[in-house]
Amino acid sequence: MAPKPITSPVPDSWYPTLSVSMLAIGLVITASFFIYEATSSKRNRSLAKELTTGALASFFLGFGSLFLLLASGIYV
């Protein structure tokens, strides 16, 4: 029985689209985080909202960067 080669669950043709869309979403979430921090006072800030927004931005920017590397031929 011959072993099966490891393949990506996402087609290679989707890498550029996923990269651009995830980076765009991550940048919008990051911008909303900065606007929230700049416009709210220290008494009105919510730690849960800050952590949620930061985690979402990190997720989208991280996977967007991964797909950007994959789309440019750098396989990590």
Side-chain angles (χ1 to χ4, degrees):
M1 179 183 277
K4 293 183 180 181
I6 298 173
T7 60
S8 172
V10 178
D12 292 350
S13 61
W14 288 10
Y15 290 165
T17 305
L18 283 171
S19 171
V20 169
S21 60
M22 292 186 99
L23 286 172
I25 291 169
L27 289 174
V28 167
I29 295 172
T30 302
S32 71
F33 177 79
F34 284 128
I35 291 169
Y36 175 75
E37 289 294 320
T39 58
S40 63
S41 65
K42 286 190 176 184
R43 296 180 190 187
N44 293 337
R45 292 183 187 163
S46 169
L47 181 62
K49 183 173 181 174
E50 291 178 9
L51 290 175
T52 303
T53 307
L56 274 173
S58 176
F59 173 81
F60 281 109
L61 289 174
F63 276 103
S65 300
L66 171 69
F67 283 116
L68 180 64
L69 289 171
L70 292 175
S72 63
I74 302 171
Y75 297 103
V76 291

